[in-house]
Amino acid sequence: MCSNVVVGLPSPPNLNGTLSSPTPTNTSNAKDGDNLVMNHTGVGGGYKWRLVIAYDGTRYAAGWQYQSSPPTIQCFVEKVLMQATKLERKDLSLVGASRTDKGVHAWGQVAHFVTPFNYDSIDSIHAALNGLLPSDIRVREISPAVPEFHARFSAKSKIYHYKVYNDTFMDPFQRDYAYHSAHKLNPAVMREAAKYFIGKHDFSAFANASQKERVRDPVKNIFRFDVIEMGALLQLEVEGSGFLYRQVRNMVSLLLQIGREALPPYVVPMILATRDRRELAKYAMFAPPHGLSLATVKYNEEHLRLPSGCSTTSFGRHYTIGSCKLPFY
């Protein structure tokens, strides 16, 4: 039996033969059901599952983070999980790796949830989730997770892409996923400027105030910041240990001004040194959200290992026709 154990969960309901019931446990000392995890002792009441989710954020006015009105991406994911598992929201304890803002997209958002029962095969629930979700949200992967895994706090780094379409007119097929700059940009000076962001810095000057962050650490480590040319499309790729609220979009907005050659590259360390968001506002406006997407969330290998005795990762089903039953002419 899989020993992926989570505290704070109810006894499993009467379910069909695709599920395995764990031994009930006393959870009276648990503060809540959100990721209070025991070690691999084989005693406990539940199981943890990792999701990789892609979504088009265009129509979600509040982004990922849960709120009932207007409905968010997390709200829709929780709703279909409740339908598929017959559990309540508080029991699922769904947590996302990144609280993407309204209009921001994702290819590699990661989340986890918990259940009081084990799935022998997760292909069926994977298919059920995507069958219930709206067409602009898809679960790309679902897998069992070790108790130590936490979608947000276990993250080692995150990679964001920001796309800029740099031509005299906008490609209509890119309009929801790239910012249009009719000003001719100089990618070489943008690369030069982006190098100043790399390393450990206090990014207070590039962060907006947010009620979502109770206590924020303004020091973040940027591992790379690339400017990639793909014809008329520029893709700005930034990888870091973490990011403050709207930090990526603020960094991009300054790089756009530098790319237009309105500012020199060395303005970046000057603004960083001020640690004052008002200083950035003197030079650059917001980069809109629709050009931004969460590409990947990276974790240490020990957090991604599959617990022994559990089902394997589901990447979705491929449907094939076994044989043609009609005569061929």
Side-chain angles (χ1 to χ4, degrees), residues 99 135 270:
R99 298 171 177 178
S135 58
M270 291 173 56

Side-chain angles (χ1 to χ4, degrees), residues 81-245:
L81 278 170
M82 289 165 64
Q83 289 178 260
T85 64
K86 310 303 182 186
L87 297 173
E88 295 299 318
R89 177 175 180 260
K90 62 181 177 63
D91 301 321
L92 290 166
S93 301
L94 181 71
V95 177
S98 178
R99 298 171 177 178
T100 55
D101 204 1
K102 67 176 183 178
V104 175
H105 314 294
W107 174 249
Q109 172 73 284
V110 177
H112 75 256
F113 68 98
V114 293
T115 62
F117 43 76
N118 186 25
Y119 285 95
D120 294 331
S121 172
I122 51 181
D123 284 341
S124 295
I125 188 175
H126 193 174
L129 294 178
N130 282 335
L132 294 167
L133 282 167
S135 58
D136 51 5
I137 305 174
R138 281 293 172 267
V139 175
R140 292 175 48 216
E141 299 175 24
I142 179 170
S143 63
V146 293
E148 298 84 5
F149 175 80
H150 190 286
R152 186 178 178 193
F153 299 126
S154 298
K156 185 173 67 173
S157 71
K158 298 173 186 176
I159 300 174
Y160 283 90
H161 293 174
Y162 195 96
K163 294 181 179 180
V164 181
Y165 195 80
N166 190 204
D167 206 344
T168 54
F169 63 89
M170 183 61 182
D171 180 345
F173 295 104
Q174 297 281 352
R175 69 188 186 281
D176 290 334
Y177 312 106
Y179 167 67
H180 179 218
S181 175
H183 293 86
K184 185 63 177 175
L185 300 174
N186 183 339
V189 296
M190 294 174 72
R191 290 189 193 97
E192 183 182 348
K195 291 178 182 178
Y196 289 111
F197 287 121
I198 297 172
K200 191 175 289 188
H201 306 285
D202 185 322
F203 282 94
S204 297
F206 289 86
N208 285 38
S210 171
Q211 295 179 346
K212 299 176 185 177
E213 296 174 306
R214 298 172 187 171
V215 180
R216 69 175 188 178
D217 179 4
V219 178
K220 304 297 177 185
N221 194 2
I222 303 299
F223 304 127
R224 66 181 180 92
F225 204 145
D226 302 324
V227 180
I228 301 169
E229 297 177 71
M230 299 182 288
L233 196 67
L234 283 182
Q235 183 161 287
L236 283 66
E237 297 186 3
V238 57
E239 179 177 1
S241 59
F243 298 92
L244 300 170
Y245 182 52

